[in-house]
Amino acid sequence: MSSAEESGPATPAVSARVPTAAWAMHRTSSSDRPARVTVAVYAADPVLRLGVVQQLRQRPEVDLLADSDAERAEVSLVVVDHVDDDVATLLHRLRHNTGTRTGLVVATLGAGSLQRVIECGVAAVLRRAEADQDQLLRLVLAIANGEGVLPGDLLGKLLSHVGSLQRSALDPRSLSLSTLSTREADMLRMVSEGLDTAEIARKTSYSERTVKNVLHEIITRLQLRNRAHAVGYALRNGLI
């Protein structure tokens, strides 16, 4: 055996982008091995962070970065229980780093939160219950390769949401449960400005009874609690 063979394969270079996920998964020789993907893990809960770090640390395809080097990661993984305002702020910040692409490992994610994280620039989503070592590696390699990843049921919800938006754009008169008519949007906007029923009636030239009925219809149709809840819902979803 030659001295070169005894020394083993060369150490792959750090920080170069993975050409394809398939190439990364099927390493055949030292000359064909791809570079490692640099990864930063973000989690407010240190236990969640440690779990993901330990899983990925065992994989030669991944180079985990320290917190001080996190800004230069090709892939940023955000690990959370659910998406709240703090998580959204972090995702927005990562979106402004053009050198990284972001993946989300989350315990629960509803349809509304899904739209929110996509707007924050998240490229891929994995449920924490499915986040074993192999799934985490697939997620990292897919993100590094420029691919988007969603669980099947969330992809279906996203497609349905996009379809409803397209139908509303093509036919504004065809209102779905989550859209507002011009009159409804105007009245909710006035509520958000602090106007009461009588003031809204004067501004719109409707009776107070009509104003109450319109606002009640919105609250009932969207299954909300009160006017304040309706205003918050409309603002979050860009309806007013």
Side-chain angles (χ1 to χ4, degrees):
M1 179 179 295
S2 68
S3 59
E5 290 174 330
E6 290 174 353
S7 62
T11 301
V14 177
S15 298
R17 188 167 296 281
V18 177
T20 65
W23 191 24
M25 294 296 290
H26 301 288
R27 293 172 285 115
T28 56
S29 68
S30 60
S31 61
D32 289 334
R33 288 189 181 182
R36 296 158 71 189
V37 181
T38 53
V39 178
V41 179
Y42 297 82
D45 185 336
V47 175
L48 294 182
R49 185 181 189 281
L50 182 60
V52 171
V53 167
Q54 286 182 334
Q55 296 275 34
L56 291 176
R57 182 175 286 149
Q58 304 173 46
R59 304 305 301 235
E61 301 92 340
V62 172
D63 179 18
L64 285 168
L65 299 182
D67 291 347
S68 57
D69 293 325
E71 292 296 322
R72 68 178 182 85
E74 295 174 89
V75 174
S76 296
L77 289 184
V78 177
V79 188
V80 295
D81 286 319
H82 59 276
V83 176
D84 55 19
D85 290 342
D86 289 339
V87 173
T89 299
L90 171 60
L91 295 175
H92 273 297
R93 179 170 67 81
L94 292 172
R95 184 178 188 178
H96 292 302
N97 179 357
T98 57
T100 194
R101 300 185 80 244
T102 304
L104 181 70
V105 181
V106 62
T108 59
L109 187 68
S113 296
L114 175 61
Q115 180 182 351
R116 189 178 190 185
V117 300
I118 289 174
E119 290 171 352
C120 290
V122 170
V125 176
L126 178 66
R127 285 200 174 90
R128 270 196 10 231
E130 302 168 357
D132 59 20
Q133 186 180 121
D134 289 337
Q135 291 294 340
L136 284 169
L137 179 62
R138 290 190 185 98
L139 185 74
V140 167
L141 295 178
I143 295 171
N145 196 39
E147 301 170 11
V149 180
L150 282 178
D153 62 312
L154 292 181
L155 179 59
K157 290 178 181 178
L158 179 62
L159 292 175
S160 296
H161 179 69
V162 171
S164 69
L165 291 179
Q166 290 175 332
R167 288 191 296 273
S168 296
L170 290 172
D171 184 6
R173 296 169 299 175
S174 147
L175 297 178
S176 69
L177 287 178
S178 60
T179 59
L180 299 176
S181 69
T182 301
R183 182 173 70 169
E184 290 173 334
D186 286 342
M187 289 189 182
L188 270 187
R189 193 174 296 110
M190 292 179 200
V191 173
S192 73
E193 294 169 355
L195 276 64
D196 61 21
T197 301
E199 291 171 321
I200 294 172
R202 285 196 298 273
K203 277 185 169 288
T204 59
S205 299
Y206 289 113
S207 68
E208 291 187 28
R209 183 184 185 90
T210 298
V211 172
K212 290 178 181 178
N213 287 341
V214 169
L215 294 174
H216 178 73
E217 164 61 22
I218 297 170
I219 292 167
T220 302
R221 187 174 77 241
L222 300 180
Q223 299 181 1
L224 304 172
R225 294 188 297 275
N226 49 43
R227 292 185 182 187
H229 193 192
V231 168
Y233 176 92
L235 289 170
R236 284 195 304 274
N237 291 278
L239 299 178
I240 62 173

